[in-house]
């Protein structure tokens, strides 16, 4: 089970935005049992109206909702300058939407039906990202642990992304399709917990310098 300091749980608020009351109830029961504080919302507009984004934590958002979709909510949060890390809940057919969400800054996406260990790991990573920002304050052990989750190909792609190459340029450089490059980028963002090319480059540079 994911080990998160109790003081971090007490100082964070997890938001669950989903139009399905059964999902909201299940998440609330699960997270409260694990010691997290949680507040649920039935839709994006309710979240935007009632939530206090200055309270640290993260938001768990369903991709497909009537009215304002999860992606539309994410874009509105970006427009408003919300720095709250986002985890998306997706169906099996939503991989393209998930990739788009990651490119917009989502920390992770978790497929339904939700597995407890998977969502708890995602929450811990999201809250950690929100607390530490784009990775500049991580210790060497944290950086090494995150980079070690990358496959050799993902690390190769990460270096190219860090150098400022687009997905198309990455594909041309190493002989893969643009779609495959997008998939690698999404995996890198999810595993490292950062999305900006400069932050990805800093991860790799810090690891090389501290191990050198």
């Amino acid at each position: 089970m994911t080990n998160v300091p109790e003081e971090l749980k007490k100082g964070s608020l997890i938001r669950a935005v989903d139009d399905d009351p059964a999902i909201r109830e299940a998440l609330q029961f699960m997270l409260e049992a694990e010691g997290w504080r949680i507040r649920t919302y039935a839709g994006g507009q309710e979240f935007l109206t009632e939530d206090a984004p200055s309270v640290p934590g993260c938001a768990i958002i369903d991709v497909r909702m009537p009215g304002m979709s999860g992606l539309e909510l994410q874009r509105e949060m970006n427009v408003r300058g919300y720095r709250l890390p986002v985890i998306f809940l997706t169906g099996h057919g939503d991989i393209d939407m998930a990739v788009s969400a990651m490119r917009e800054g989502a920390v992770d996406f978790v497929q339904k039906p939700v597995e407890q260990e998977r969502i708890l790991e995602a929450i811990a990573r999201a809250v950690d990202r929100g607390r530490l920002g784009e990775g500049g304050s991580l210790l060497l052990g944290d950086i090494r642990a995150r980079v070690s989750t990358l496959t050799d190909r993902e690390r190769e792609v990460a270096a190219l992304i860090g150098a400022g190459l687009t997905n198309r340029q990455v594909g041309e450089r190493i002989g893969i399709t643009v779609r495959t490059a997008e998939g690698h980028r999404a995996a890198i963002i999810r595993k490292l917990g950062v999305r900006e090319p400069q932050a990805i480059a800093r991860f790799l540079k810090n690891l090389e310098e501290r191990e050198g």
Side-chain angles (χ1 to χ4, degrees), residues 179-194:
R179 177 61 62 87
T180 300
E182 290 176 347
H184 283 315
R185 182 186 289 265
I188 291 163
I189 292 171
R190 175 169 57 82
K191 292 179 178 181
L192 297 186
V194 296

Side-chain angles (χ1 to χ4, degrees), residues 14-65:
I14 313 303
R15 294 84 159 167
V17 187
D18 198 303
D19 62 299
D20 186 340
I23 296 292
R24 298 198 304 272
E25 183 177 345
L27 286 171
Q28 182 163 1
F29 179 82
M30 178 196 306
L31 296 182
E32 288 182 346
E34 290 293 324
W36 290 101
R37 294 192 301 139
I38 178 173
R39 184 169 182 182
T40 65
Y41 301 93
Q45 194 56 56
E46 181 182 340
F47 167 80
L48 293 171
T49 301
E50 299 183 10
D51 190 68
S54 60
V55 179
C58 70
I60 304 170
I61 303 174
D62 187 19
V63 167
R64 294 184 182 275
M65 293 186 291

Side-chain angles (χ1 to χ4, degrees), residues 61-90:
I61 303 174
D62 187 19
V63 167
R64 294 184 182 275
M65 293 186 291
M68 179 181 288
S69 71
L71 293 180
E72 289 171 338
L73 173 56
Q74 180 192 30
R75 294 189 187 105
E76 181 61 26
M77 291 170 67
N78 288 339
V79 168
R80 297 188 183 198
Y82 287 13
R83 299 184 61 83
L84 198 64
V86 172
I87 299 166
F88 274 109
L89 299 182
T90 67

Side-chain angles (χ1 to χ4, degrees), residues 82-104:
Y82 287 13
R83 299 184 61 83
L84 198 64
V86 172
I87 299 166
F88 274 109
L89 299 182
T90 67
H92 291 295
D94 293 336
I95 186 64
D96 288 341
M97 297 177 71
V99 170
S100 296
M102 297 295 282
R103 294 180 67 179
E104 290 286 339

